[in-house]
């Protein structure tokens, strides 16, 4: 929670100092400042000011972009004369939470080893008394990002009616303004932030109201963003929800048809639905899976030179135009396909057979390597044999909670529920609940 350890003033100030030290070692030549952005949480201002004070103590200047999206900060860091970038946001979490995301000068999130080194140094520097500096937002920074987004769009949105739900978060101004500047008639939702209503029954995690509004407005489509707008969930004119898997399908198809899908590969995580993998395979496109997290998707995309990848949750990465998932960019790419093909979003997202999926969380007393759990592995193998090529089983530990997560996909909800509950029961017996 913002204001409490490890996000109290002392620790935030120390984080600024540690980042300042990192900049001295890793900054590109001539880069002497750090770009700072935030979402709409009430704690964002004081966190930015304490972070900037820590940076200043190490001789590093801060430049505040104000309320901007996480991919906006990544873009500024990649293209500007910045030693690093910082986004103050807790993404889809409630307003009480907040966080500090750091980007290196290439616009990429810092490698795990460098993050761990900064974290260690933060703990050592917490003895320093906290301080704050007054920052003024430089609007020309987010305008740079806006111009970049506009430059990627081919065509016009004139005559299109679009509903956007910005989740009372970072996209509240940028999202509607972007679409209006491209010619669309825009209906807004979740664009009245008060510091405490970010993600509250709105945005990418709560698209049911957006679906109703799209139908009521007779709009062409709707788009919902999370608090820092690095993810996007779309809604078709019928009210059909188009998640990250459906976006990967329609964009993958489009890019392949234009010869712009290197290797005929789309990258996703182990959580993407089996239906996406099978539908793409039938069209000559390979789905390559990674561990959960857009960071791992990006690493695999860079390794393969893939054009597009993402997560079911709506993080979609377009490698030519961004170094991270970007909700606004995803919105533009979906609209671009609609405009260039003359097809509705409902039609473009069609053909995706979504396999029933069940996720069971099992609370555990300890984590032991799954390879050591003989009975659990036997249950997994039995389920995989029963499902054959028409299902998947994924068992993993949560990275943040004492939970084992059991995900099963298959042809019927009855079969996946039965297998998931059986595996969960064995885990519960082995590791205690």
């Amino acid at each position: 929670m913002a204001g409490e350890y490890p996000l109290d003033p002392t620790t935030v100030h120390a984080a600024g100092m540690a980042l300042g030290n990192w900049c001295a070692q890793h900054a590109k030549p001539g880069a002497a400042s750090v770009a700072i952005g935030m979402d709409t949480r009430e704690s964002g201002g004081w966190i930015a000011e304490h972070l900037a004070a820590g940076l200043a103590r190490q001789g590093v200047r801060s430049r505040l972009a104000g309320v901007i999206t996480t991919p906006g900060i990544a873009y500024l860091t990649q293209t500007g004369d910045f030693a690093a970038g910082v986004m103050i946001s807790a993404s889809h979490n409630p307003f009480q939470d907040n966080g500090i995301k750091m980007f290196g000068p290439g616009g990429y999130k810092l490698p795990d080893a460098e993050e761990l080194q900064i974290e260690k140094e933060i703990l050592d520097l917490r003895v320093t008394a906290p301080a704050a500096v007054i920052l003024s937002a430089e609007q020309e920074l987010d305008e740079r990002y806006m111009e970049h987004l506009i430059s990627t769009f081919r065509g016009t949105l004139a005559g299109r009616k679009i509903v956007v739900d910005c989740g009372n978060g970072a996209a509240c101004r940028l999202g509607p303004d972007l679409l209006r500047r491209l010619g669309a008639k825009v209906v807004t939702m979740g664009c009245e932030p008060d510091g405490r209503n970010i993600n509250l029954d709105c945005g990418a995690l709560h698209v049911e109201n957006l679906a109703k509004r799209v139908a009521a407005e007779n709009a062409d489509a709707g788009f919902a963003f999370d608090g820092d707008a690095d993810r996007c969930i779309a809604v078709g004119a019928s009210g059909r929800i188009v998640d990250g898997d459906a976006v990967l399908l329609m964009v993958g198809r489009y890019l392949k048809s234009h010869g712009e899908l290197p290797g005929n590969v789309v990258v996703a995580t182990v959580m993407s639905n089996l239906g996406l993998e099978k539908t793409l395979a039938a069209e000559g496109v390979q789905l390559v899976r990674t561990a959960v997290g857009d960071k791992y998707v990006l690493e695999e995309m860079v390794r393969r030179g893939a054009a597009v990848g993402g997560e079911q949750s709506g993080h979609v990465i377009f490698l030519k135009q961004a170094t991270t998932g970007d909700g606004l960019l995803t919105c533009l790419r979906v609209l671009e396909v609609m405009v260039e093909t003359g097809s509705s979003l409902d039609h473009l997202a069609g053909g995706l057979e979504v396999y029933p999926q069940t996720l069971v969380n099992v609370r555990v007393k300890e984590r032991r390597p799954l390879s050591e759990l003989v009975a659990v592995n036997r249950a997994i193998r039995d389920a995989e044999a029963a499902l054959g090529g028409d299902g998947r089983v994924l068992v993993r530990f949560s990275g943040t909670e004492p939970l084992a997560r059991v995900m099963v996909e298959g042809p019927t909800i009855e079969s996946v529920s039965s297998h998931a509950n059986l595996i969960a029961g064995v885990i519960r017996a082995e590791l205690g609940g």
Side-chain angles (χ1 to χ4, degrees), residues 12 18 34 121 157 259 278 290 301 303 350 370 374 376 384 395:
V12 171
V34 169
E121 190 169 356
L157 294 177
K278 287 183 172 290
T290 74
M301 290 178 68
R303 192 177 76 81
L370 290 172
V374 176
V376 173
E384 289 173 334
V395 179

Side-chain angles (χ1 to χ4, degrees), residues 13-238:
H13 182 87
M17 293 178 65
L19 179 59
N21 290 337
W22 182 92
C23 289
Q25 300 172 31
H26 297 87
K28 52 192 175 186
S33 60
V34 169
I36 299 178
M38 67 185 77
D39 64 23
T40 57
R41 295 164 212 271
E42 62 181 13
S43 58
W46 71 257
I47 292 174
E49 291 172 354
H50 281 80
L51 189 77
L55 285 163
R57 185 162 285 184
Q58 307 304 91
V60 179
R61 177 190 173 206
S62 297
R63 296 182 64 188
L64 182 66
V67 174
I68 191 173
T69 67
T70 289
I73 285 294
Y75 173 76
L76 291 174
T77 307
Q78 178 191 24
T79 60
D81 55 348
F82 293 105
V86 173
M87 179 66 183
I88 300 168
S89 175
S91 188
H92 56 277
N93 286 21
F95 85 92
Q96 297 96 331
D97 298 330
N98 219 327
I100 297 173
K101 301 180 184 181
M102 298 180 182
F103 294 88
Y108 295 100
K109 293 177 182 176
L110 298 184
D112 291 344
E114 293 180 19
E115 283 188 348
L116 288 172
Q117 179 58 39
I118 289 176
E119 288 176 9
K120 180 180 181 300
E121 190 169 356
I122 289 170
L123 296 177
D124 294 338
L125 292 169
R126 284 194 77 252
V127 296
T128 308
V133 298
I134 303 300
L135 297 173
S136 297
E138 302 177 38
Q139 190 165 342
E140 66 96 5
L141 293 178
D142 62 19
E143 181 60 24
R144 282 192 214 172
Y145 172 57
M146 179 74 82
E147 290 175 355
H148 162 66
L149 291 173
I150 291 172
S151 73
T152 71
F153 192 79
R154 297 179 290 198
T156 176
L157 294 177
R160 300 276 178 170
K161 188 176 185 180
I162 310 297
V163 183
V164 290
D165 181 349
C166 296
N168 293 316
C172 281
R173 185 182 64 80
L174 294 173
D177 190 24
L178 171 66
L179 297 177
R180 289 189 182 111
R181 286 165 68 169
L182 288 170
K185 180 180 180 181
V186 181
V187 178
T188 60
M189 300 173 61
C191 288
E192 299 178 350
D194 62 10
R196 296 190 166 205
N197 61 358
I198 188 170
N199 301 313
L200 184 61
D201 299 325
C202 58
L205 270 66
H206 304 280
V207 293
E208 56 280 355
N209 291 328
L210 174 62
K212 293 176 184 176
R213 188 69 178 273
V214 168
E217 294 282 350
N218 195 28
D220 292 280
F223 297 90
F225 310 107
D226 65 336
D228 66 338
D230 63 354
R231 71 171 76 177
C232 170
I233 300 293
V235 173
S238 69

